Amino acid sequence: MARNGSSPKSISSNGNGNAAKNGAGQNGAARNGTGDVATWTVKAGLAQMLKGGVIMDVTDAKQAEIAQEAGAVAVMALERVPSDIRAEGGVARMSHVKKIQEIQRSVSIPVMAKARIGHFVEAQVLEALGIDYIDESEVLTPADDIHHIDKHQFKAPFVCGARNLGEALRRISEGAAMIRTKGEAGTGDIVEAVRHMRSIWAEIRRVQSLREDELFVAAKDLQVPVELVREVRKLGKLPVVNFSAGGVATPADAALMMQLGAEGVFVGSGIFKSGMNERTEAKRRAVQANMASAIVKAVTHFNDPMMIAEVSASIPDEAMRGQSTAQMKPEELLAGRGN
Amino acid sequence: MPSTDHPGTQLRIGVLALQGDFAEHLAMLRANGVDAVEVRTLAQIDGCDGLVIPGGESTTIARLLIAFDMLEPLRERIRNGLPTWGTCAGAILLATDVPALDREPIGVMDMTVDRNAFGTQIQSFEADLDIAGMEGPPLRAIFIRAPVIRRVGKAVEVLATLADGRIVAARQGHLLATSFHPELTNDARMHGYFAEMCREQLDAEARAAS
C-alpha cells in the first residue's frame, strides 16, 4: 500500500464535473501581481482544455514538431518511448534537461514530462523548467517503492496513472489534478487499457448505488478519504479529468477508449514505433505523422464509424507490431508499480 | 430571460466539439435555459442560433477545422451573422491577426491576439474582473495559458481589462471574445450575456425580414 499519510483534501465541485476553486494558500497556491496562481481550479483547468485531444510521447524536438503538426493537444517528454524501455531494460529516468528544453523551444502546445514515482526532486526540476504538467509515471523506474510525491507542494499540476478507482482517488488525495488509466505502456496491446477504464467506471457506478451511510466502508475498502468517495457519488465521475493510456496503437483503439468513457488519449509507442518497416528516416517520419493525425481525427469523431474508417484508410498498414500482454510474465508488467 | 419578441421559443446554441472543454459550456448554457448541443459538422451548426468555440488547444482546433473542410464555410456563416463567442482558444481563432498561430484563424474579429501571453501553466491564474454591461459582483475569471488581446479595431468594444490594462474581453457586434474561462466557474452570467446577444441577433433578423 502506497499511503503517504498526507491529510485528505476535500475537493468541492459545482456539480458540472468541475472541481471548484480552493483559495490561495492551499495546494501550492500563491498570489502574484495579476491574480492567484496554482489554485486547484487553475491546476485542474488545463486538463479540461486538453479534453477530446491526443497527448503524444516524444523523445526529442523533431518528434515534438511532428506531434504538434499532426494536431496533438500536448506532448509528453520522456527519455525513451515505453517499447524501447521494455526492449532495452536499464533504469528509466526523467528525460535529459537539455532534451526537455529543446522540446519546449520547438512547440507552442503544452509540454508535459515524466518524473519517476516518488522522485520529488525530478519533479522540482521539471517545475523549475516551467513544464506545464508533470506525469508521475510507472513507465519510469520507481524511485520510491512506498511513497508517491506529495503533489500538493507543487505549483505545476500533476497527472498520475491508475488501474482502478482506489488508485485514482489515492493519487487525487496526494494532489494529482488529472488521471490517466495505466494500460500497459509500450505493448500496443489495448487489453489492459480497456480493463482499467472499465474497472474505474464500474466502481464509480457501484459507489453511486450506495446509501450515504455505506460510503464509510466503501472508503475503507478503497483505501481512500471518504470525502473523495462522496464527491464521486455526487458527480458520477472522477473529480478530475481522466484520459486513457498504455496500449493505443491505431485510430480504432483511440476511439474505443473514448467510447468507453476516456476524456482524451495518451499515445506513446503507437506513433513513433509505427512505420518501422520503412527503410529511410524520412519515410518513417511520414508514416508516423500520418498515424498521429489519423488518431487525432478519430478521437474527435470517436462516435462516427464512417469517419474512423476513412481516417484508418488514409494510413499505411504499418501500426506498431506490439506484444501481447497475455504472453508476458507478471514482473514484466509496468502497471503494478505505484498502487 | 426569454425575449418578449419570441415568446415560447427556446434558443439553440451549438458548442463546437472538435476538441476542448465543450461539456462545461453545454452545462452553463443549459443553466441559462438554452437548448445547448455539441456540434462537430456544418450541418449541425446550421440548426443553431449561436455558436460557442470553447477553450482547448488553438493549434489543434485550427488544424481540425481545415482537415474537415470547415474553416471557410464557418467563416462565411459567422460573417453572415451567426452570433459566435470564443473563449481562450476560441478567442484566438476569432481574431483576424494571430502572430503566433501556425494556421489561418477564422479571422472575423478585428483584433490582434497573443497566444500564451502569460507564460507556461505555472503562470496560469484566476482573478476578479469587472465586465462592462454586467451587473452584480465581479466575475471570477480563470486564465489557463491564456491569450491577451493586444490590439482592437474601431468596431470592437473592450469589455474587460486586467489591473495592468491588458484587454481580456471584447465584443464586435454579434461576436464575443474572452481570454478566460467562465465555463470553469459556477457563475453563468457570461453565458447569459451571450444568450442575450443571440436573441438580439434573432430580433434584428426578424425585423429585417418583416
Side-chain angles (χ1 to χ4, degrees):
Chain A
M1 262 311 301
R3 295 297 300 275
N4 68 2
S6 72
S7 63
K9 297 260 197 316
S10 168
I11 293 160
S12 58
S13 156
N14 65 6
N16 291 341
N18 305 331
K21 66 171 182 277
N22 295 352
Q26 286 182 53
N27 297 329
R31 180 172 279 277
N32 71 11
T34 359
D36 300 323
V37 297
T39 61
W40 178 257
T41 307
V42 162
K43 286 178 170 180
L46 178 55
Q48 302 283 349
M49 299 311 135
L50 302 174
K51 285 193 298 189
V54 182
I55 299 168
M56 302 183 191
D57 278 358
V58 299
T59 57
D60 57 32
K62 181 71 198 155
Q63 291 185 350
E65 284 164 18
I66 291 172
Q68 174 170 281
E69 189 55 36
V73 288
V75 290
M76 171 74 71
L78 75 175
E79 187 192 31
R80 293 172 279 168
V81 292
S83 73
D84 285 340
I85 294 174
R86 237 171 233 300
E88 297 162 9
V91 175
R93 309 182 178 93
M94 177 183 83
S95 196
H96 194 281
V97 167
K98 271 190 185 161
K99 286 270 187 213
I100 293 171
Q101 289 172 320
E102 281 169 26
I103 291 167
Q104 286 178 305
R105 279 194 295 271
S106 69
V107 293
S108 66
I109 56 178
V111 176
M112 301 182 164
K114 286 187 192 286
R116 282 178 269 178
I117 289 176
H119 205 317
F120 50 84
V121 174
E122 282 188 349
Q124 289 164 3
V125 170
L126 293 175
E127 180 174 272
L129 291 172
I131 281 292
D132 294 297
Y133 241 94
I134 299 170
D135 185 358
E136 186 183 18
S137 178
E138 73 285 356
V139 172
L140 306 186
T141 312
D144 190 323
D145 62 352
I146 299 170
H147 304 287
H148 277 73
I149 297 170
D150 177 0
K151 296 167 272 286
H152 293 293
Q153 305 307 318
F154 288 78
K155 288 188 165 56
F158 279 75
V159 54
C160 285
R163 288 175 298 177
N164 51 49
L165 185 59
E167 283 188 11
L169 296 183
R170 283 194 289 280
R171 298 297 85 76
I172 293 167
S173 78
E174 294 156 5
M178 178 179 184
I179 293 293
R180 54 174 176 75
T181 49
K182 286 176 175 172
E184 192 54 39
T187 60
D189 186 350
I190 199 68
V191 66
E192 295 298 315
V194 168
R195 189 197 316 278
H196 300 159
M197 188 59 71
R198 281 194 185 274
S199 163
I200 285 184
W201 279 112
E203 289 175 284
I204 288 172
R205 288 190 297 270
R206 184 183 158 270
V207 164
Q208 282 190 285
S209 73
L210 298 178
R211 284 162 50 107
E212 186 73 31
D213 61 3
E214 293 167 343
L215 296 181
F216 301 98
V217 168
K220 185 186 78 174
D221 292 344
L222 289 165
Q223 299 179 289
V224 301
V226 70
E227 290 81 7
L228 286 175
V229 181
R230 233 177 243 132
E231 184 76 6
V232 165
R233 181 164 175 269
K234 191 172 78 184
L235 295 175
K237 68 187 284 300
L238 290 179
V240 300
V241 168
N242 182 24
F243 272 44
S244 170
V248 171
T250 67
D253 286 349
L256 173 67
M257 297 318 300
M258 293 297 288
Q259 288 198 27
L260 283 172
E263 296 181 278
V265 174
F266 284 85
V267 186
S269 321
I271 290 169
F272 292 105
K273 284 293 163 187
S274 66
M276 297 312 276
N277 296 332
E278 298 294 341
R279 293 228 190 100
T280 68
E281 161 135 354
K283 282 186 177 162
R284 270 201 301 280
R285 294 289 190 215
V287 170
Q288 291 161 0
N290 237 327
M291 176 64 84
S293 161
I295 292 176
V296 168
K297 290 174 190 163
V299 166
T300 293
H301 287 285
F302 67 92
N303 263 328
D304 182 346
M306 274 308 294
M307 185 65 82
I308 298 165
E310 200 176 300
V311 303
S312 303
S314 75
I315 51 175
D317 183 16
E318 292 192 60
M320 75 180 281
R321 175 117 184 122
Q323 181 180 7
S324 164
T325 56
Q327 313 297 321
M328 293 162 66
K329 299 191 191 89
E331 62 270 24
E332 293 179 293
L333 301 176
L334 305 175
R337 296 169 169 178
N339 62 6
Chain B
M1 63 191 82
S3 160
T4 48
D5 293 354
H6 301 278
T9 58
Q10 193 188 15
L11 268 186
R12 188 182 181 90
I13 296 179
V15 183
L16 191 67
L18 296 179
Q19 190 272 317
D21 70 335
F22 45 87
E24 284 64 32
H25 275 292
L26 292 169
M28 292 296 254
L29 289 166
R30 285 169 190 155
N32 277 286
V34 170
D35 175 19
V37 290
E38 286 180 18
V39 292
R40 288 184 174 80
T41 64
L42 293 166
Q44 291 166 339
I45 291 171
D46 283 339
C48 296
D49 304 315
L51 178 70
V52 175
I53 306 178
E57 258 315 305
S58 53
T59 54
T60 301
I61 301 174
R63 281 160 172 73
L64 291 171
L65 284 172
I66 293 167
F68 298 130
D69 297 323
M70 294 174 74
L71 182 64
E72 190 53 47
L74 187 55
R75 181 181 290 149
E76 212 48 48
R77 282 162 175 76
I78 296 173
R79 282 195 180 139
N80 289 338
L82 177 68
T84 305
W85 172 21
T87 59
C88 195
I92 291 167
L93 291 166
L94 289 182
T96 48
D97 183 27
V98 191
L101 186 65
D102 60 0
R103 288 290 188 280
E104 200 184 335
I106 302 169
V108 285
M109 254 181 108
D110 183 10
M111 57 186 186
T112 302
V113 172
D114 291 326
R115 295 178 65 214
N116 302 340
F118 300 91
T120 70
Q121 169 63 13
I122 294 167
Q123 277 81 44
S124 291
F125 64 100
E126 44 184 292
D128 291 329
L129 268 193
D130 289 314
I131 314 276
M134 187 172 293
E135 310 213 331
L139 192 91
R140 190 68 178 167
I142 317 294
F143 295 83
I144 311 276
R145 285 173 46 99
V148 296
I149 303 169
R150 195 206 313 157
R151 175 202 65 86
V152 292
K154 287 202 187 81
V156 179
E157 178 194 358
V158 172
L159 295 184
T161 58
L162 292 172
D164 62 11
R166 281 187 282 183
I167 304 169
V168 291
R171 177 174 176 178
Q172 176 186 319
H174 65 295
L175 306 176
L176 178 65
T178 56
S179 47
F180 50 93
H181 296 281
E183 75 278 13
L184 293 184
T185 68
N186 293 310
D187 191 336
R189 283 179 295 166
M190 204 78 214
H191 289 78
Y193 181 96
F194 179 63
E196 203 44 53
M197 283 174 58
C198 296
R199 285 192 192 95
E200 284 168 19
Q201 184 71 12
L202 277 181
D203 290 347
E205 283 167 13
R207 275 197 304 276
S210 64

PDB file of all heavy atoms in Angstrom, chain B residues 176-190:
ATOM      1  N   LEU B 176     -18.156  37.777 -29.695  1.00  0.00           N
ATOM      2  CA  LEU B 176     -17.682  37.965 -28.325  1.00  0.00           C
ATOM      3  C   LEU B 176     -16.403  37.151 -28.143  1.00  0.00           C
ATOM      4  O   LEU B 176     -16.313  36.010 -28.606  1.00  0.00           O
ATOM      5  CB  LEU B 176     -18.774  37.484 -27.354  1.00  0.00           C
ATOM      6  CG  LEU B 176     -18.507  37.534 -25.852  1.00  0.00           C
ATOM      7  CD1 LEU B 176     -18.347  38.975 -25.374  1.00  0.00           C
ATOM      8  CD2 LEU B 176     -19.661  36.860 -25.089  1.00  0.00           C
ATOM      9  N   ALA B 177     -15.412  37.750 -27.496  1.00  0.00           N
ATOM     10  CA  ALA B 177     -14.157  37.037 -27.237  1.00  0.00           C
ATOM     11  C   ALA B 177     -13.748  37.251 -25.788  1.00  0.00           C
ATOM     12  O   ALA B 177     -13.753  38.380 -25.291  1.00  0.00           O
ATOM     13  CB  ALA B 177     -13.055  37.546 -28.166  1.00  0.00           C
ATOM     14  N   THR B 178     -13.421  36.144 -25.089  1.00  0.00           N
ATOM     15  CA  THR B 178     -12.878  36.251 -23.732  1.00  0.00           C
ATOM     16  C   THR B 178     -11.623  35.383 -23.648  1.00  0.00           C
ATOM     17  O   THR B 178     -11.623  34.259 -24.150  1.00  0.00           O
ATOM     18  CB  THR B 178     -13.891  35.771 -22.660  1.00  0.00           C
ATOM     19  OG1 THR B 178     -14.295  34.422 -22.946  1.00  0.00           O
ATOM     20  CG2 THR B 178     -15.131  36.640 -22.637  1.00  0.00           C
ATOM     21  N   SER B 179     -10.575  35.923 -23.039  1.00  0.00           N
ATOM     22  CA  SER B 179      -9.365  35.100 -22.950  1.00  0.00           C
ATOM     23  C   SER B 179      -9.401  34.193 -21.732  1.00  0.00           C
ATOM     24  O   SER B 179      -8.521  33.368 -21.550  1.00  0.00           O
ATOM     25  CB  SER B 179      -8.099  35.950 -22.970  1.00  0.00           C
ATOM     26  OG  SER B 179      -8.190  37.017 -22.100  1.00  0.00           O
ATOM     27  N   PHE B 180     -10.458  34.328 -20.912  1.00  0.00           N
ATOM     28  CA  PHE B 180     -10.593  33.478 -19.719  1.00  0.00           C
ATOM     29  C   PHE B 180     -11.748  32.489 -19.912  1.00  0.00           C
ATOM     30  O   PHE B 180     -12.349  32.437 -20.983  1.00  0.00           O
ATOM     31  CB  PHE B 180     -10.819  34.358 -18.478  1.00  0.00           C
ATOM     32  CG  PHE B 180     -11.907  35.379 -18.660  1.00  0.00           C
ATOM     33  CD1 PHE B 180     -13.214  35.105 -18.289  1.00  0.00           C
ATOM     34  CD2 PHE B 180     -11.638  36.615 -19.230  1.00  0.00           C
ATOM     35  CE1 PHE B 180     -14.222  36.034 -18.467  1.00  0.00           C
ATOM     36  CE2 PHE B 180     -12.644  37.550 -19.411  1.00  0.00           C
ATOM     37  CZ  PHE B 180     -13.938  37.259 -19.035  1.00  0.00           C
ATOM     38  N   HIS B 181     -12.034  31.710 -18.846  1.00  0.00           N
ATOM     39  CA  HIS B 181     -12.956  30.567 -18.959  1.00  0.00           C
ATOM     40  C   HIS B 181     -14.125  30.674 -17.983  1.00  0.00           C
ATOM     41  O   HIS B 181     -14.092  30.040 -16.917  1.00  0.00           O
ATOM     42  CB  HIS B 181     -12.210  29.259 -18.675  1.00  0.00           C
ATOM     43  CG  HIS B 181     -11.138  28.952 -19.652  1.00  0.00           C
ATOM     44  ND1 HIS B 181     -11.404  28.417 -20.888  1.00  0.00           N
ATOM     45  CD2 HIS B 181      -9.793  29.116 -19.582  1.00  0.00           C
ATOM     46  CE1 HIS B 181     -10.261  28.261 -21.535  1.00  0.00           C
ATOM     47  NE2 HIS B 181      -9.270  28.678 -20.775  1.00  0.00           N
ATOM     48  N   PRO B 182     -15.183  31.408 -18.334  1.00  0.00           N
ATOM     49  CA  PRO B 182     -16.358  31.454 -17.439  1.00  0.00           C
ATOM     50  C   PRO B 182     -16.964  30.073 -17.236  1.00  0.00           C
ATOM     51  O   PRO B 182     -17.616  29.830 -16.216  1.00  0.00           O
ATOM     52  CB  PRO B 182     -17.336  32.365 -18.194  1.00  0.00           C
ATOM     53  CG  PRO B 182     -16.498  33.135 -19.151  1.00  0.00           C
ATOM     54  CD  PRO B 182     -15.367  32.237 -19.521  1.00  0.00           C
ATOM     55  N   GLU B 183     -16.719  29.156 -18.178  1.00  0.00           N
ATOM     56  CA  GLU B 183     -17.306  27.817 -18.082  1.00  0.00           C
ATOM     57  C   GLU B 183     -16.666  26.981 -16.977  1.00  0.00           C
ATOM     58  O   GLU B 183     -17.189  25.918 -16.640  1.00  0.00           O
ATOM     59  CB  GLU B 183     -17.213  27.104 -19.448  1.00  0.00           C
ATOM     60  CG  GLU B 183     -15.826  26.593 -19.849  1.00  0.00           C
ATOM     61  CD  GLU B 183     -14.922  27.657 -20.463  1.00  0.00           C
ATOM     62  OE1 GLU B 183     -15.251  28.865 -20.363  1.00  0.00           O
ATOM     63  OE2 GLU B 183     -13.872  27.285 -21.034  1.00  0.00           O
ATOM     64  N   LEU B 184     -15.537  27.422 -16.426  1.00  0.00           N
ATOM     65  CA  LEU B 184     -14.898  26.662 -15.343  1.00  0.00           C
ATOM     66  C   LEU B 184     -15.303  27.174 -13.961  1.00  0.00           C
ATOM     67  O   LEU B 184     -14.718  26.783 -12.958  1.00  0.00           O
ATOM     68  CB  LEU B 184     -13.368  26.720 -15.475  1.00  0.00           C
ATOM     69  CG  LEU B 184     -12.749  26.006 -16.676  1.00  0.00           C
ATOM     70  CD1 LEU B 184     -11.225  26.070 -16.597  1.00  0.00           C
ATOM     71  CD2 LEU B 184     -13.198  24.556 -16.759  1.00  0.00           C
ATOM     72  N   THR B 185     -16.291  28.073 -13.900  1.00  0.00           N
ATOM     73  CA  THR B 185     -16.744  28.610 -12.613  1.00  0.00           C
ATOM     74  C   THR B 185     -18.187  28.176 -12.364  1.00  0.00           C
ATOM     75  O   THR B 185     -18.760  27.430 -13.149  1.00  0.00           O
ATOM     76  CB  THR B 185     -16.700  30.155 -12.629  1.00  0.00           C
ATOM     77  OG1 THR B 185     -17.707  30.627 -13.538  1.00  0.00           O
ATOM     78  CG2 THR B 185     -15.342  30.660 -13.084  1.00  0.00           C
ATOM     79  N   ASN B 186     -18.764  28.681 -11.272  1.00  0.00           N
ATOM     80  CA  ASN B 186     -20.189  28.446 -11.009  1.00  0.00           C
ATOM     81  C   ASN B 186     -21.051  29.584 -11.529  1.00  0.00           C
ATOM     82  O   ASN B 186     -22.248  29.586 -11.339  1.00  0.00           O
ATOM     83  CB  ASN B 186     -20.421  28.337  -9.500  1.00  0.00           C
ATOM     84  CG  ASN B 186     -19.772  27.116  -8.923  1.00  0.00           C
ATOM     85  OD1 ASN B 186     -19.964  26.018  -9.450  1.00  0.00           O
ATOM     86  ND2 ASN B 186     -19.000  27.279  -7.865  1.00  0.00           N
ATOM     87  N   ASP B 187     -20.409  30.593 -12.130  1.00  0.00           N
ATOM     88  CA  ASP B 187     -21.080  31.843 -12.480  1.00  0.00           C
ATOM     89  C   ASP B 187     -21.524  31.790 -13.940  1.00  0.00           C
ATOM     90  O   ASP B 187     -20.695  31.814 -14.855  1.00  0.00           O
ATOM     91  CB  ASP B 187     -20.083  32.989 -12.243  1.00  0.00           C
ATOM     92  CG  ASP B 187     -20.741  34.349 -12.312  1.00  0.00           C
ATOM     93  OD1 ASP B 187     -21.804  34.468 -12.962  1.00  0.00           O
ATOM     94  OD2 ASP B 187     -20.184  35.289 -11.723  1.00  0.00           O
ATOM     95  N   ALA B 188     -22.838  31.733 -14.164  1.00  0.00           N
ATOM     96  CA  ALA B 188     -23.354  31.553 -15.529  1.00  0.00           C
ATOM     97  C   ALA B 188     -23.693  32.888 -16.207  1.00  0.00           C
ATOM     98  O   ALA B 188     -24.316  32.899 -17.269  1.00  0.00           O
ATOM     99  CB  ALA B 188     -24.582  30.645 -15.506  1.00  0.00           C
ATOM    100  N   ARG B 189     -23.250  34.021 -15.615  1.00  0.00           N
ATOM    101  CA  ARG B 189     -23.675  35.314 -16.175  1.00  0.00           C
ATOM    102  C   ARG B 189     -23.133  35.573 -17.571  1.00  0.00           C
ATOM    103  O   ARG B 189     -23.801  36.151 -18.426  1.00  0.00           O
ATOM    104  CB  ARG B 189     -23.244  36.449 -15.238  1.00  0.00           C
ATOM    105  CG  ARG B 189     -24.125  36.575 -14.020  1.00  0.00           C
ATOM    106  CD  ARG B 189     -23.649  37.695 -13.120  1.00  0.00           C
ATOM    107  NE  ARG B 189     -22.322  37.401 -12.571  1.00  0.00           N
ATOM    108  CZ  ARG B 189     -21.549  38.315 -11.979  1.00  0.00           C
ATOM    109  NH1 ARG B 189     -21.932  39.567 -11.879  1.00  0.00           N
ATOM    110  NH2 ARG B 189     -20.370  37.964 -11.496  1.00  0.00           N
ATOM    111  N   MET B 190     -21.886  35.176 -17.825  1.00  0.00           N
ATOM    112  CA  MET B 190     -21.296  35.429 -19.148  1.00  0.00           C
ATOM    113  C   MET B 190     -22.051  34.627 -20.220  1.00  0.00           C
ATOM    114  O   MET B 190     -22.247  35.120 -21.331  1.00  0.00           O
ATOM    115  CB  MET B 190     -19.819  35.022 -19.108  1.00  0.00           C
ATOM    116  CG  MET B 190     -18.941  35.712 -20.124  1.00  0.00           C
ATOM    117  SD  MET B 190     -18.495  37.401 -19.658  1.00  0.00           S
ATOM    118  CE  MET B 190     -18.465  38.136 -21.294  1.00  0.00           C
TER     119      MET B 190
END
